[in-house]
Amino acid sequence: MDNADKQIRFLKLDEIKPKIQTGAWMLFFGAHWCVNTARWTPKYLEAQKRVDQEGIKVNMAKIECSADGEQFCTQNFKVDGFPTMLAYIDGQLKEEYPDSDEVEPFVEYLRKLSQEYQLLHPDVQPITEKIQEKPNEKELSKSLDEHLIKSSQPTQQQAHDGFSFSVIAIGSLVVLSAFLIVATRIKRQYRKVDSERDLED
């Protein structure tokens, strides 16, 4: 086993079918004696690391198909050459990986596989989703102060209503004052008339 294989996640032959029943999976069928498998393995490891770093919701596992495993892989998964990459969603074969044997196209395919799985399971949140940060005490205090200031300032309608009330009140006072002046003058006039009558008598 080379250094890349030591870091790659493997599934034993009897673990494959039970494991892939849930989730999105990319299975790497290979054989240690295969030159093409040996060439692809470091690239697959790099993709595995990218999946872990980005939080892509795809499970990845390599299956060793050497010796007795070759017949098992051929009969159960229709593998007819190495390496073979098969994509599964909830135990159902989607397809064999169709693109080039370079890391970036492979990772991009895994992203799409993850998106397809999430469309089928919208309750499953991607790991890379940003968690809403808890506001600190300073931000909460600032927000509360702004709210209190805003609440204490009269609205345009309130200011208009207050102005209208003031105008009405002032107008009422003017009318009342004029009425009192007129009443006072009339009262004085009556007193003058009464005084003149008293003198005549």
Side-chain angles (χ1 to χ4, degrees):
M1 180 178 293
D2 59 25
N3 291 330
D5 273 332
K6 292 178 181 178
Q7 302 177 63
I8 286 175
R9 292 186 285 271
F10 279 77
L11 281 180
K12 297 179 180 179
L13 299 180
D14 59 352
E15 293 178 328
I16 303 173
K17 288 187 177 180
K19 288 284 188 180
I20 67 175
Q21 294 306 308
T22 303
W25 285 83
M26 176 58 72
L27 301 182
F28 169 15
F29 294 87
H32 67 83
W33 47 260
C34 174
V35 175
N36 291 328
T37 296
R39 290 174 178 170
W40 171 241
T41 297
K43 297 178 182 180
Y44 177 88
L45 175 60
E46 178 61 26
Q48 178 183 285
K49 292 179 179 178
R50 293 274 297 277
V51 166
D52 293 342
Q53 292 169 358
E54 297 181 25
I56 299 173
K57 302 290 290 186
V58 175
N59 301 288
M60 300 178 66
K62 182 178 179 180
I63 294 90
E64 180 57 53
C65 298
S66 300
D68 295 339
E70 184 173 354
Q71 184 176 1
F72 177 89
C73 294
T74 300
Q75 292 180 351
N76 290 276
F77 296 95
K78 312 302 180 185
V79 175
D80 57 2
F82 305 114
T84 294
M85 310 295 298
L86 299 182
Y88 284 82
I89 293 181
D90 293 333
Q92 299 297 315
L93 175 64
K94 173 179 169 56
E95 63 181 347
E96 181 176 351
Y97 171 62
D99 296 330
S100 71
D101 58 351
E102 296 299 328
V103 175
E104 194 56 45
F106 185 50
V107 172
E108 181 60 28
Y109 179 86
L110 295 174
R111 291 192 190 102
K112 293 179 180 179
L113 182 63
S114 174
Q115 292 170 0
E116 182 174 343
Y117 173 73
Q118 289 172 38
L119 287 175
L120 296 174
H121 302 275
D123 55 317
V124 178
Q125 297 297 326
I127 297 175
T128 53
E129 182 177 3
K130 184 178 180 181
I131 300 174
Q132 184 176 4
E133 296 180 356
K134 182 179 179 180
N136 56 41
E137 294 181 0
K138 185 176 180 180
E139 291 174 342
L140 287 174
S141 178
K142 181 180 179 182
S143 178
L144 179 59
D145 290 342
E146 291 176 350
H147 176 72
L148 292 174
I149 292 172
K150 185 176 181 180
S151 299
S152 64
Q153 294 176 343
T155 62
Q156 183 177 2
Q157 182 62 36
Q158 289 173 332
H160 176 74
D161 292 344
F163 176 76
S164 299
F165 176 78
S166 299
V167 171
I168 293 172
I170 293 172
S172 299
L173 289 174
V174 171
V175 172
L176 180 59
S177 298
F179 175 78
L180 291 174
I181 292 171
V182 172
T184 301
R185 289 180 178 177
I186 293 173
K187 189 175 181 180
R188 288 177 179 175
Q189 186 67 29
Y190 277 121
R191 285 180 179 177
K192 183 178 180 181
V193 172
D194 290 339
S195 297
E196 290 177 352
R197 287 178 179 177
D198 290 340
L199 290 174
E200 289 176 356
D201 294 338

